[in-house]
């Protein structure tokens, strides 16, 4: 196999892997910033705890992806500045995100993260990159399920149209 044999970490990244890892890290940095803002808006304790878990996961992703980029001579995107703390009571009602809105946004983010992980796993030829994003995929699956259950339990989920009455099959 030549250049692609041996320890995967010694193999070169291809341009798709470089771009994907860089974009994933950049998106995770944006999520950290947004989720911290959501924490200031959230009133529900379980939602705040879930946001903390999402922040912890995004920080891990940034750390691991930026390490891979740096080890391969690629400059990672800059981190965003920390947000100043805000108290829920200080945020005007018209400017405040509701818990239901936050749950929907983090659910959508997690869902899109699953798609991104799958794409990166499918295009990677370095086994360590594929395995890393498989790990992220599993974590995002668990977090997504937690967000879904929480949204259902708290009445925040707005389902798409449901097929309650199924049409009868007609034999021709």
């Amino acid at each position: 196999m030549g250049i692609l044999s041996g320890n995967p970490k010694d193999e070169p990244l291809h341009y798709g892997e470089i771009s994907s890892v860089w974009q994933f890290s950049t998106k995770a940095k944006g999520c950290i910033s947004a989720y911290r803002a959501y924490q200031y808006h959230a009133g529900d304790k379980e939602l705040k705890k879930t946001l903390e878990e999402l922040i912890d996961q995004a920080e891990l992703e940034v750390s691991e992806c930026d390490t891979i980029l740096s080890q391969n001579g690629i400059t990672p995107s800059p981190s965003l500045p920390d947000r100043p703390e805000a108290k829920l009571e200080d945020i005007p009602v018209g400017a405040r995100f509701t818990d239901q809105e936050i749950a929907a946004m983090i659910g959508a983010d997690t869902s899109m993260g699953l798609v991104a992980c799958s794409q990166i796993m499918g295009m990677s030829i370095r086994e360590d990159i594929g395995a890393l994003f498989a790990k992220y995929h599993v974590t995002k699956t668990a977090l997504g399920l937690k967000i879904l259950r929480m949204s259902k339990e708290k009445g925040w989920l707005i389902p798409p149209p449901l097929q309650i009455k199924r049409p009868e099959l007609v034999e021709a």
Side-chain angles (χ1 to χ4, degrees):
M1 286 197 302
I3 197 168
L4 299 177
S5 61
N7 184 349
K9 292 181 181 185
D10 295 333
E11 297 173 2
L13 293 168
H14 65 68
Y15 290 112
E17 289 167 330
I18 293 168
S19 178
S20 295
V21 172
W22 193 91
Q23 287 176 338
F24 198 86
S25 170
T26 302
K27 173 63 175 157
K29 289 171 185 170
C31 285
I32 292 166
S33 179
Y35 297 165
R36 284 198 176 124
Y38 294 163
Q39 279 185 314
Y40 303 143
H41 289 249
D44 185 84
K45 287 181 183 173
E46 187 178 356
L47 179 59
K48 285 183 176 204
K49 185 178 182 301
T50 302
L51 285 163
E52 190 60 44
E53 290 176 42
L54 289 167
I55 290 168
D56 290 344
Q57 177 61 27
E59 287 174 339
L60 174 69
E61 293 165 1
V62 166
S63 172
E64 292 177 340
C65 288
D66 284 1
T67 297
I68 290 169
L69 292 169
S70 296
Q71 288 173 345
N72 286 277
I74 309 297
T75 304
S77 65
S79 294
L80 298 169
D82 288 337
R83 292 180 170 276
E85 285 198 39
K87 292 184 179 167
L88 181 62
E89 306 81 42
D90 296 337
I91 303 170
V93 175
R96 221 183 276 166
F97 287 116
T98 65
D99 290 346
Q100 181 178 12
E101 290 172 310
I102 295 167
M105 289 185 286
I106 63 175
D109 273 354
T110 304
S111 172
M112 288 183 280
L114 285 167
V115 173
C117 289
S118 294
Q119 256 184 324
I120 296 167
M121 288 165 29
M123 56 85 72
S124 292
I125 59 173
R126 265 187 49 172
E127 295 152 28
D128 60 322
I129 301 294
L132 180 66
F133 283 90
K135 177 181 84 168
Y136 295 161
H137 194 280
V138 169
T139 303
K140 288 183 183 302
T141 300
L143 287 166
L145 182 58
K146 182 177 185 173
I147 294 164
L148 176 62
R149 285 185 177 149
M150 176 179 56
S151 295
K152 284 180 174 180
E153 288 169 6
K154 299 193 182 278
W156 297 338
L157 181 70
I158 300 172
L162 302 174
Q163 184 182 19
I164 296 180
K165 189 174 185 180
R166 296 188 179 152
E168 291 183 33
L169 295 176
V170 177
E171 291 187 35

